[in-house]
Amino acid sequence: MTAPRQPPALTEDEVAAVRSWVIHEDAHVLALNKPSGLSSQGGRVRVHTLDDLLWAFARSNGKRPELVHRLDRDTSGVILAAKTKPAAGFLGKAIQSRRLKKTYLALVSAAPDPRSGRIETPLVRMEIGRESHMRVAAPDEAGAQASTSLYRTLSAADDAALVELSPLTGRMHQLRVHMASIGRALAGDARYGGALTLVGAPAPRLMLHAWKLTFPHPEGGERTVSAPPPEDFLRLTRAAGLGTQGLT
């Protein structure tokens, strides 16, 4: 029999930080604006993950919210947790049936051509050392997974563009690999060929932000939550001469 999970010892600063990231809370769900550089779950580095930090919301009965999906460590933005077991089951089924609508923002070195479109390139997972990667694959290749992403250019300058991305499937690193496959790797994404600068300014991390999330709610109907991009994302957007109106 598995021993009950023991809560980690959180500092006052950690508790204050995770509480400051809350962008929506009700009796069933908790939505947070995750910072870049924080693993959602199971990070190899011995520091607290977002999953650990959710113990800051533990109730007197020892129950606490549980993440229902993940974001890459370097991706910032909206992430959802269920506050009850029924809510976790409800949202888990919604994810399986692809009823969550995710909208991301990303910075690239030039506007895609055409400026909006649909990418339906299959992807396959591969292991390199201890790291998992994705790459494009032929539809009949062993292990290939059907993958679909939508993209739309929001603003563009000579050497940069702000794009809105929507994954219709949930493959690992899907948006990153799909954009790289059309020659528009995300700024700061060294793993998939993205430049570490944009218009001469440093891209301090993967320039990908989970901006909006629409999901079916356990009480009925849909809810949409949004997370304003962090300052590093906005700073680079402005440096590239791209508009930020409507993003915050």
Side-chain angles (χ1 to χ4, degrees), residues 119-123 136-137 145-149 178 181-182:
I119 304 171
E120 296 186 291
T121 306
L123 302 175
V136 297
Q145 298 175 308
S147 308
T148 304
S149 303
H178 269 174
S181 76
I182 62 168

Side-chain angles (χ1 to χ4, degrees), residues 4-35:
R5 187 173 175 195
Q6 295 300 308
L10 302 180
T11 67
E12 289 184 8
D13 287 346
E14 286 175 321
V15 171
V18 70
R19 289 188 176 279
S20 75
W21 302 335
V22 175
I23 52 178
H24 172 82
E25 183 175 10
D26 59 41
H28 305 277
V29 299
L30 179 71
L32 303 103
N33 186 357
K34 185 188 84 67

Side-chain angles (χ1 to χ4, degrees), residues 126-147:
M126 58 183 183
E127 306 296 328
I128 301 178
R130 298 178 64 190
E131 298 290 335
S132 296
H133 295 246
M134 299 293 278
R135 62 171 175 79
V136 297
D140 58 353
E141 184 176 337
Q145 298 175 308
S147 308

Side-chain angles (χ1 to χ4, degrees), residues 28-49:
H28 305 277
V29 299
L30 179 71
L32 303 103
N33 186 357
K34 185 188 84 67
S36 173
L38 176 67
S39 293
S40 299
Q41 294 174 309
R44 292 195 183 102
V45 181
R46 294 187 64 81
V47 294
H48 289 144
T49 64

